[in-house]
Amino acid sequence: MKRLSRLIYGITGHLPAARWCFAIAVIAFTAVVSVHKYIDMADMAAFSCLEVMYLILTDTMNIVFIYLPLYLFAVSGIMFDSGFGEIAVLRYESRREWLSVKLVTYIVNTLVFFGIILLLNFAVSYRVFNLSDVWSGDFIGFRVMAGQSASDFSHSPVPTIVAASFAVLMLYVFCGTVNMLFSLITDRESVGLFASLVAGILLGIGDMLIVTESFTSQINRCVVLAVAAVLVCVVANSAALKKDFGGKKMY
């Protein structure tokens, strides 16, 4: 029970209202701009709501260059809540538990942030486009003209969008763990923010240039990013066990 209360305290302790309000406003504005971009293309091709969602979730400009910096801005500072000092660490039974609470806080914030992205983009898309559970010929033709393979749409829209969503979510989780690691090592929020942003942008650009958008590729992305995030957490745990927090040594 005490461990659960410490976990809840750690998660609720990082709720920067101003940052989150700003993030929600930017996400809403970007959703409207993105949807209107596809409204303007209606003369070329008529899309459904889910097709627009897929286009938004695979748009590198949105995911890497708008939402990712916004996400890191919203979650930066988690490692510094209550400081690195003796009192902050001694609330927990061990350094490992302290770091675990920080990691869970990152994950919860990531889920909330990405949930807001999905909710707002779906709400805006649904108000303009019809809902359909099959890919349209116009959409597949549009994507083939853009260089994508028609075989990427062998699955129906829902599982394809779910796979794309998890790939983006895992990218953000990975960047969050990088933020956690560098903030822990350097004691500086700015370094963690910069390192995680660079890592996310490089991965996003590399993904755009090298990896296809097929269902299998999306699943492989999720697995690779999950393994990478776990490895970063292992390194962060090792760093936390050796770190001088300014208090008595804990094991």
Side-chain angles (χ1 to χ4, degrees), residues 19 63-65 67-77 79 106 110 170-184 186 188-204 225 232:
R19 291 193 185 196
I63 297 302
V64 176
F65 294 102
Y67 292 144
L68 177 61
L70 193 63
Y71 158 72
L72 293 172
F73 170 75
V75 302
S76 285
M79 295 299 294
Y106 269 107
T110 307
M170 289 311 303
L171 172 64
Y172 290 179
V173 169
F174 170 74
C175 291
T177 59
V178 172
N179 187 299
M180 178 182 72
L181 173 62
F182 279 87
S183 297
L184 173 66
T186 64
R188 295 178 63 186
E189 176 184 338
S190 58
V191 175
L193 178 61
F194 178 77
S196 54
L197 182 59
V198 170
I201 290 176
L202 290 177
L203 280 173
L225 288 169
V232 173

Side-chain angles (χ1 to χ4, degrees), residues 90-145:
L90 289 178
R91 286 196 182 103
Y92 304 94
E93 293 181 356
S94 66
R95 295 167 186 247
R96 183 174 287 108
E97 183 185 350
W98 173 84
L99 186 65
S100 298
V101 171
K102 296 294 183 181
L103 175 61
V104 171
T105 305
Y106 269 107
I107 293 174
V108 169
N109 277 265
T110 307
L111 290 172
V112 171
F113 182 87
F114 195 69
I116 293 171
I117 289 178
L118 293 179
L119 179 62
L120 290 179
N121 278 286
F122 178 80
V124 177
S125 301
Y126 184 69
R127 287 183 61 86
V128 180
F129 298 95
N130 294 325
L131 187 63
S132 173
D133 60 352
V134 295
W135 300 111
S136 67
D138 283 349
F139 175 79
I140 294 178
F142 171 74
R143 294 309 296 166
V144 170
M145 289 177 58

Side-chain angles (χ1 to χ4, degrees), residues 9-26:
Y9 173 82
I11 295 174
T12 57
H14 184 77
L15 291 173
R19 291 193 185 196
W20 277 99
C21 288
F22 175 77
I24 292 171
V26 174

Side-chain angles (χ1 to χ4, degrees), residues 138-225:
D138 283 349
F139 175 79
I140 294 178
F142 171 74
R143 294 309 296 166
V144 170
M145 289 177 58
Q148 195 168 353
S149 172
S151 62
D152 292 350
F153 306 101
S154 56
H155 295 81
S156 61
V158 172
T160 304
I161 291 173
V162 169
S165 299
F166 269 100
V168 176
L169 176 63
M170 289 311 303
L171 172 64
Y172 290 179
V173 169
F174 170 74
C175 291
T177 59
V178 172
N179 187 299
M180 178 182 72
L181 173 62
F182 279 87
S183 297
L184 173 66
I185 292 174
T186 64
D187 292 357
R188 295 178 63 186
E189 176 184 338
S190 58
V191 175
L193 178 61
F194 178 77
S196 54
L197 182 59
V198 170
I201 290 176
L202 290 177
L203 280 173
I205 294 175
D207 180 71
M208 176 183 65
L209 296 175
I210 300 172
V211 185
T212 65
E213 298 293 341
S214 67
F215 183 85
T216 303
S217 296
Q218 299 284 17
I219 298 301
N220 290 338
R221 282 187 185 94
C222 295
V223 174
V224 171
L225 288 169

